[in-house]
Amino acid sequence: MDQLLPVEIVEAGHAFPQALFACADLDALLRLKGAYVGRDGSHAAQLMELLKAAPKEQKRELGAAINALKQQWEEGLKGRQLELEAAKKRLASQADRWDPTLPPPMPAQGALHPLNRLMDRLVDVFRPLGFHVEEGPEVETEAHNFDGLNIPEDHPAKASSDTFYLAAHPELLLRTHTSPVQVRTLLRVAPELGKRGGIRFLAPGRVYRKDEIDPTHSPMFHQVEGMLVGHGIGMQHLKGTLDYALRALFGPETEIRLRPSYFPFVEPGCEVDVSCPLCGAKGCRVCKGSGWVEILGAGLIHPNVLKYAGIDPAEWSGWAFGMGVERMAMMLSQTPDLRLFFENDQRFLRAMGGLD
Amino acid sequence: MWIERKGLAQEIPAVAALETRQLSELLASLGFPVDGVASREGGDVLDVDITANRGDAMSHRGMARELAARLQQPLASMVPPTVVDGPPVVEVRLESPACPVYSTAILQLGSGVTPAEVQSFLLALEATPKRLPAVDASNDLLHRYGHPTHAFDADRIRGTVSVRWAQAGETLVTLDGVERKLVEQDLVIADESGPIALAGVMGGDRTKVTEATTRVLLESAWFEPKPVKATARRHSLHTDASHRFGRGADPCLAMVARDLLVGRLQAWCQATLVGAWTAGAVPATAKSVPLTGALLARIAGEPLPLAEAAEALRRLGCATDLDGGTLQVTPPSWRHDLAIPEDFAEEVLRLRGYEHIPSVLPPLEGPPEPLSPAYLQRQRLARRLSQLGFHQTVTYGFISPEADAAFAAAENGAEGRALANPLGQEYSVMRGSLLPSLQAMAHQNLRQGAREVRLFELAPVYHSGPAGPVERFRLGMVWGGTLGGEDYLSPARAVREADLMGVAKDLGWEGVPPLRALGEGLFGFELPIERLPREGSRVIPAFQPFSRFPSVERDLSLLVDLGQSHEALTSAMRAALPVDVLQDLRCVDVFRHKSLPEGRQAWLMRLRFQAGRTLVGEEVDGWVSAALAAAESLGARLRA
Ligand SMILES: [Zn+2]
């Protein structure tokens, strides 16, 4: 049979499956289609010419051969076209598909400072007990910072080696604790104390002491002061409030312990320990194996502090506490260096501050 | 303060049976926490923390008294040898009431050295023995009984000894070899040629006991705490003696300590007593203080029988007299910290143990107070800014004068805000602006490789005033670096001033915030918080009607001058439009390109109309034409 056909067409017929497979897209397939079965100049067209010119006796046999060949080509092309169309559709659908594992555009991520977060948390803990927030200036008078707090005139904290003073105003200093807010607040509310039924407040804020900067010291740090004045207030009320507050802060399993101590503005005075929140009081590096960590100083307001503010200690009594915010933050977070809180590296702030 | 277990057990034998850990817990529960335990000279030595009010506890005997009262166990008896006062060998004159009693003796020293066990006791306390019996005996007494004494070389003292205030200009070389310039507020021991000791603080070099000393003059006195503290501070000379006299030593111990000292020297180095005498007298003891059952019950949280309180106070050395509902209490001569009824109530509770105090929530006597609007405003601002991607910073309130001068307002002079005793020049001025600190923190973050830095701080700044610096809370923020470019949808671009404008608007700032360029691609501003909106007092704002009809949006592409103000253009266009239908008018795109006529730019202005009805195309066309005409009056042209 092949001997009836021109050599090049026979070769093209042999090459067809290969050529068909080589068509990677519909355009290439269209070109192949043109070359084999197109209207003009294609192999099929040439064969039709050949058939026309063939002697009569050959026409039937030749026609059948040509038809078989054409049919083979057309079927091949049709099949490949379906394949390529399906592949194209598949690609198109993939192009539209979203890959959820690609990094998405992120809303900007900021953070509250961990020290502010901790102070906010303390306010949250005390709010249900009716405490509000009182604030006072950082530049204070000696009277508010020391005298009103029953701190003796010759107390070493007053020395210029311990406390920062203003050059142009020798009677002004940078408050060394948040306790002057007690003095200011008591002076303000003294005339209306009976009408308002006592007072209870927190005073969070920044304080200054003349310490060189090192991993455990900073000339500026934060304290939260708490104070309550009412009728018949005793140590049991201090203990009750701290029991509640420190459990709210550290968890319901928390135990507290009061130890006698001394601060000039309270009498009796105490240090307050909590069962170590890091090891569950089993003993660890933080609590030095004791199961307890010191968390704050407190006591009943010294009668002289009430008297200074014009409040009669025979009628009114109260308690006060003060805690170091950095100290607590470092203990809870195990931050190794106090300076990190003031370096304000965004990586530290993001990791420590969260969004509340 | 170091407390040797062995030495303590010599004062209260019952503690010998306790483990060191039990002893530490016991001391902590009495108000004397143990900071550490060392092992020295074959035994445990406790580092006990003693609060500033308890000078009486600064000795082994003092600690033992506390333990004896708590444990209800006896103290070892203290038996000084009998030394009979005779006529003065040398005249001792007390010229200041700050020294009411001065007990002394002269001894002829024999041969002999400080006993080994005393040397070991001193070594355990990190008090170096001098191997001179007179010095070591004085030191031993101080640590054991808490009473500071001193021994002078009697042959180096000239004439009469007096306790007096120093005269201005006098000097004294103290035992540490330092020459001290004295002032009239320094109490000194002096002989006829001048001061020989700073009273209650340190002896002088000229009269010190040496190996060559053969006769000693003892000093066992009592000094008022105040001048001792002042002198110690003035000369930066904080000694074992000044700590104890400064916090209040026991005046009744002056003679006892002299006798103990005499006894030790007689026993250790065969000293012979030449004479003993005392100048002045022990000052009268403290007055009694009334403690009522009501006060005790209020402080303790439960009624406690006064008889029980009296018993506890007696164990602490107080004299008590129960008179009906009131207990009259007189503190012992060594307790200078007990002065008011509350002090005695504390003692009763302390001895009982604070663990017995009940736990009660205080009753609310009045309505709680809300949080102040200013405080809430700062909380809200901080939360909003952190949600907007900013990081809250905390920086020191003092900065360098140079950094301050670059940002503080011109009328806010730094002199009124300067510290007298700063840590250093870089921390010497209370800042007039938050921006220097924020700028430094931003640069630090960028140096550390941050792509973008967004910081804010809410803190007071200081303004010099006639009565001192006035503080006002400010909000400072800085933003810089590269935005976006970290995912496949957000193109990277530099932070621009307009980004900060957007934040200021978001916070409710009206108008243009005072923007500052703070370096390459870094911008910041500082706002007075009181000028930012506060939450209103209404629970819910008043209802504002809004239209449910569809709005119509039209864009106008205008060619405007490069110097055209957006504010001026939009207000001109607004003026040409009915107020009740114009919902919004703004430039939504700026196009600047050399293909545009020189000096011109293209603004795409978007107008949005809405009314309480469906708008008709023609009326909107009319408004757009009017707006265009208004723009054209400012030189704008419709872009082809
Ligand atoms: Zn622990």
Side-chain angles (χ1 to χ4, degrees):
Chain A
M1 185 69 233
D2 280 0
Q3 62 271 27
L4 295 177
L5 301 177
V7 167
E8 67 272 21
I9 289 184
V10 171
E11 277 171 5
H14 289 317
F16 180 72
Q18 194 78 41
L20 192 63
F21 184 72
C23 286
D25 55 39
L26 287 167
D27 282 355
L29 189 69
L30 213 59
R31 283 194 295 277
L32 190 70
K33 195 175 177 182
Y36 277 80
V37 297
R39 195 159 300 192
D40 298 315
S42 69
H43 299 314
Q46 277 181 45
L47 287 173
M48 290 318 286
E49 295 292 320
L50 198 68
L51 184 64
K52 246 186 244 169
K56 226 178 186 140
E57 65 274 14
Q58 283 185 9
K59 270 195 181 169
R60 221 175 127 229
E61 200 186 346
L62 187 62
I66 289 172
N67 274 338
L69 208 51
K70 265 178 75 181
Q71 194 183 346
Q72 184 196 338
W73 288 348
E74 271 162 2
E75 279 169 7
L77 287 164
K78 184 77 193 158
R80 185 68 182 145
Q81 184 178 349
L82 289 174
E83 264 176 43
L84 287 173
E85 275 169 358
K88 189 174 175 181
K89 215 166 155 187
R90 208 160 50 236
L91 274 176
S93 80
Q94 272 174 355
D96 286 348
R97 194 183 300 145
W98 161 61
D99 177 2
T101 64
L102 264 178
M106 287 297 292
Q109 191 197 353
L112 295 173
H113 195 282
L115 297 175
N116 289 90
R117 253 192 113 198
L118 188 49
M119 289 191 287
D120 292 353
R121 180 89 185 90
L122 283 163
V123 173
D124 290 346
V125 162
F126 278 89
R127 278 300 282 160
L129 293 187
F131 285 71
H132 67 276
V133 172
E134 291 284 351
E135 295 178 288
E138 292 173 11
V139 174
E140 261 295 2
T141 60
E142 256 191 299
H144 285 142
N145 196 74
F146 294 123
D147 308 346
L149 292 161
N150 194 41
I151 295 173
E153 192 197 337
D154 61 351
H155 196 274
K158 286 185 154 188
S160 64
S161 56
D162 287 33
T163 299
F164 294 110
Y165 287 85
L166 273 285
H169 307 274
E171 75 290 358
L172 294 181
L173 46 77
L174 301 189
R175 65 178 178 191
T176 59
H177 44 190
T178 40
S179 309
V181 181
Q182 292 182 15
V183 181
R184 287 177 173 272
T185 306
L186 292 183
L187 279 166
R188 192 189 74 231
V189 302
E192 54 182 59
L193 205 54
K195 204 178 77 194
R196 57 180 298 152
I199 187 165
R200 44 181 80 188
F201 63 89
L202 292 189
R206 316 195 307 172
V207 302
Y208 297 82
R209 285 184 201 170
K210 203 174 166 189
D211 287 322
E212 294 287 344
I213 301 166
D214 71 24
T216 54
H217 293 89
S218 167
M220 185 191 90
F221 56 100
H222 296 74
Q223 283 189 339
V224 173
E225 190 93 0
M227 181 174 250
L228 180 144
V229 178
H231 288 100
I233 299 301
M235 290 295 277
Q236 73 279 19
H237 297 125
L238 173 64
K239 203 178 202 178
T241 309
L242 292 177
D243 254 334
Y244 155 80
L246 295 173
R247 275 179 195 152
L249 204 58
F250 296 117
E253 315 299 315
T254 307
E255 295 291 326
I256 75 163
R257 177 172 88 172
L258 271 55
R259 285 182 287 105
S261 192
Y262 167 71
F263 307 97
F265 29 92
V266 288
E267 188 64 47
C270 61
E271 302 264 17
V272 179
D273 298 338
V274 290
S275 53
C276 179
L278 291 162
C279 65
K282 285 178 189 70
C284 67
R285 203 171 48 82
V286 174
C287 57
K288 295 189 192 112
S290 73
W292 294 98
V293 281
E294 189 185 314
I295 207 82
L296 54 89
L300 298 188
I301 305 169
H302 197 286
N304 289 352
V305 173
L306 294 171
K307 274 186 223 159
Y308 183 91
I311 296 170
D312 179 8
E315 181 188 356
W316 297 97
S317 53
W319 55 248
F321 72 78
M323 68 169 86
V325 180
E326 279 80 356
R327 202 185 130 83
M328 196 195 271
M330 279 179 88
M331 190 264 286
L332 290 174
S333 64
Q334 290 300 285
T335 300
D337 193 325
L338 177 57
R339 290 171 293 192
L340 284 161
F341 288 98
F342 305 103
E343 278 170 12
N344 299 297
D345 190 299
Q346 290 187 145
R347 293 165 293 190
F348 173 79
L349 296 174
R350 258 200 297 277
M352 301 283 296
L355 267 177
D356 201 13
Chain B
M1 195 190 72
W2 291 112
I3 293 287
E4 192 203 33
R5 278 209 56 168
K6 198 163 48 156
L8 187 63
Q10 284 164 1
E11 302 301 321
I12 169 164
V15 304
L18 297 176
E19 283 174 28
T20 298
R21 192 188 164 88
Q22 289 175 300
L23 180 60
S24 300
E25 281 173 10
L26 196 55
L27 287 170
S29 77
L30 284 162
F32 304 97
V34 176
D35 290 342
V37 178
S39 185
R40 287 192 212 117
E41 299 293 308
D44 282 348
V45 191
L46 281 60
D47 183 7
V48 184
D49 194 5
I50 296 173
T51 51
N53 59 328
R54 296 298 305 271
D56 66 289
M58 295 181 76
S59 68
H60 287 68
R61 186 76 181 184
M63 282 287 109
R65 273 197 299 252
E66 293 289 317
L67 291 164
R70 166 65 73 78
L71 297 172
Q72 307 195 43
Q73 293 290 329
L75 285 169
S77 57
M78 204 167 135
V79 263
T82 317
V83 178
V84 182
D85 269 350
V89 180
V90 175
E91 193 192 348
V92 174
R93 278 208 302 262
L94 305 184
E95 297 177 4
S96 163
C99 176
V101 61
Y102 191 111
S103 197
T104 182
I106 288 185
L107 291 114
Q108 180 76 44
L109 300 181
S111 64
V113 292
T114 309
E117 66 269 21
V118 174
Q119 293 198 30
S120 149
F121 173 65
L122 292 176
L123 283 169
L125 307 178
E126 291 188 318
T128 321
K130 298 287 184 299
R131 296 190 173 79
L132 296 169
V135 177
D136 291 342
S138 170
N139 221 356
D140 176 58
L141 273 183
L142 176 134
H143 290 289
R144 224 175 268 281
Y145 301 120
H147 199 85
T149 54
H150 186 67
F152 297 98
D153 185 327
D155 295 320
R156 288 169 176 270
I157 292 178
R158 293 179 203 135
T160 304
V161 172
S162 57
V163 185
R164 60 166 170 85
W165 298 108
Q167 290 152 19
E170 277 187 322
T171 61
L172 169 68
V173 178
T174 41
L175 278 174
D176 52 5
V178 179
E179 188 186 76
R180 312 276 168 182
K181 289 187 173 44
L182 306 181
V183 300
E184 286 163 356
Q185 290 78 30
D186 287 324
L187 189 69
V188 296
I189 320 291
D191 66 6
E192 283 172 10
S193 56
I196 56 172
L198 271 175
V201 179
M202 192 181 264
D205 192 62
R206 171 163 70 83
T207 52
K208 75 176 174 203
V209 170
T210 66
E211 256 128 43
T213 303
T214 56
R215 285 196 326 142
V216 291
L217 174 84
L218 305 182
E219 170 222 295
S220 183
W222 187 83
F223 304 106
E224 285 281 354
K226 273 192 178 180
V228 173
K229 260 194 281 190
T231 292
R233 186 166 325 129
R234 192 174 302 122
H235 297 284
S236 293
L237 200 53
H238 299 281
T239 61
D240 284 335
S242 76
H243 279 143
R244 285 164 180 81
F245 279 127
R247 292 172 180 190
D250 180 359
C252 290
L253 220 54
M255 278 174 78
V256 180
R258 190 263 327 253
D259 297 352
L260 288 163
L261 204 45
V262 169
R264 274 165 167 67
L265 292 180
Q266 285 171 330
W268 298 0
C269 61
Q270 291 134 34
T272 48
L273 186 62
V274 177
W277 68 104
T278 298
V282 175
T285 47
K287 290 196 296 270
S288 80
V289 174
L291 175 63
T292 62
L295 182 83
L296 184 60
R298 194 261 290 165
I299 289 175
E302 58 187 327
L304 295 179
L306 278 182
E308 210 175 273
E311 202 272 323
L313 291 167
R314 278 198 301 275
R315 276 191 269 138
L316 286 166
C318 298
T320 62
D321 181 12
L322 185 52
D323 175 17
T326 301
L327 185 67
Q328 292 291 337
V329 199
T330 312
S333 57
W334 57 86
R335 291 295 299 270
H336 301 282
D337 59 318
L338 302 179
I340 59 171
E342 284 81 355
D343 293 331
F344 293 96
E346 177 182 44
E347 290 304 289
V348 174
L349 262 57
R350 192 169 68 85
L351 222 51
R352 222 173 139 238
Y354 279 12
E355 66 275 17
H356 297 297
I357 297 169
S359 175
V360 178
L361 279 173
L364 208 55
E365 296 180 46
E369 203 170 301
L371 295 171
S372 76
Y375 176 81
L376 286 172
Q377 182 186 29
R378 290 201 305 275
Q379 301 297 307
R380 265 192 317 117
L381 283 170
R383 273 179 183 73
R384 180 64 190 145
L385 281 163
S386 59
Q387 285 156 0
L388 290 174
F390 289 82
H391 303 82
Q392 187 174 29
T393 65
V394 171
T395 55
Y396 291 160
F398 33 53
I399 58 176
S400 78
E402 295 76 30
D404 181 70
F407 290 92
E411 77 281 4
N412 186 8
E415 316 77 52
R417 299 179 278 123
L419 295 180
N421 56 335
L423 270 188
Q425 179 75 356
E426 74 264 47
Y427 307 116
S428 61
V429 174
M430 297 313 287
R431 60 188 171 185
S433 163
L434 302 176
L435 288 177
S437 313
L438 283 166
Q439 179 185 36
M441 294 300 142
H443 280 144
Q444 180 64 20
N445 270 287
L446 292 170
R447 263 199 303 280
Q448 294 279 319
R451 237 176 104 80
E452 191 194 349
V453 60
R454 298 193 201 198
L455 303 175
F456 75 97
E457 182 151 348
L458 284 157
V461 300
Y462 306 83
H463 201 283
S464 295
V470 177
E471 292 173 48
R472 279 198 201 93
F473 268 95
R474 291 275 181 89
L475 164 66
M477 59 155 284
V478 291
W479 193 354
T482 307
L483 269 177
E486 298 253 75
D487 61 76
Y488 68 110
L489 291 175
S490 321
R493 66 169 177 85
V495 171
R496 302 272 296 270
E497 290 95 327
D499 295 315
L500 283 89
M501 278 280 310
V503 175
K505 266 188 168 342
D506 181 271
L507 301 177
W509 182 260
E510 305 259 350
V512 182
L515 281 180
R516 292 281 298 247
L518 301 173
E520 184 76 33
L522 181 70
F523 307 97
F525 61 72
E526 184 175 75
L527 305 176
I529 294 181
E530 67 276 9
R531 284 184 50 201
L532 287 168
R534 269 190 192 168
E535 204 147 81
S537 51
R538 295 179 67 128
V539 177
I540 282 182
F543 174 69
Q544 302 274 340
F546 59 93
S547 168
R548 292 182 187 276
F549 289 89
S551 65
V552 176
E553 203 173 277
R554 292 288 177 86
D555 285 353
L556 273 178
S557 182
L558 298 180
L559 276 179
V560 299
D561 286 346
L562 281 175
Q564 178 63 52
S565 142
H566 179 262
E567 173 75 40
L569 185 73
T570 51
S571 47
M573 291 167 78
R574 268 172 204 283
L577 297 169
V579 189
D580 52 335
V581 294
L582 183 66
Q583 204 191 35
D584 193 28
L585 165 59
R586 64 172 66 214
C587 171
V588 295
D589 193 31
V590 173
F591 179 64
R592 291 179 181 175
H593 195 259
K594 58 181 189 295
S595 64
L596 296 177
E598 205 177 354
R600 304 282 264 181
Q601 57 183 332
W603 280 2
L604 186 63
M605 303 303 295
R606 180 159 299 160
L607 298 89
R608 196 175 287 127
F609 301 99
Q610 196 176 34
R613 57 191 165 82
T614 304
L615 295 173
V616 188
E618 292 83 60
E619 58 181 344
V620 176
D621 291 345
W623 292 331
V624 172
S625 306
L628 177 59
E632 282 171 344
S633 72
L634 289 181
R637 291 288 168 270
L638 196 62
R639 192 176 164 213

